[in-house]
Amino acid sequence: MARFLLHHRHEPDECGVAFAAWKGHASPLRHQQTFGTCRAGGHEIWWLVDADSAEEALEQLPYFLAQRTTAAEIAAITIP
């Protein structure tokens, strides 16, 4: 299983939709903390997820969010 960084962006007037989209969507990400910039005016959210593929990682998000999200496979590295 791989680890993915999901990076979501939405417009300022879409915040309400971005959060309401979770209602009725079964996901291990629901009710968990993550990082976002909506309160600071950036309207971006990031999640770290484990999945077998980028597609499977995006399936953890509601459709509205998944369509506005990139999935990058990541791994730990050591900076010299």
Side-chain angles (χ1 to χ4, degrees), residues 14-72:
E14 296 175 322
C15 279
V17 176
F19 286 92
W22 289 96
K23 292 182 179 181
H25 182 78
S27 171
L29 301 176
R30 283 197 75 189
H31 309 295
Q32 303 297 316
Q33 283 192 329
T34 194
F35 295 95
T37 61
C38 293
R39 289 185 180 169
H43 306 286
E44 298 179 73
I45 306 171
W46 296 266
W47 295 270
L48 286 175
V49 303
D50 295 319
D52 289 327
S53 67
E55 294 79 17
E56 185 180 297
L58 289 169
E59 288 174 0
Q60 296 182 45
L61 300 175
Y63 180 81
F64 177 85
L65 280 79
Q67 293 300 305
R68 294 159 177 78
T69 301
T70 58

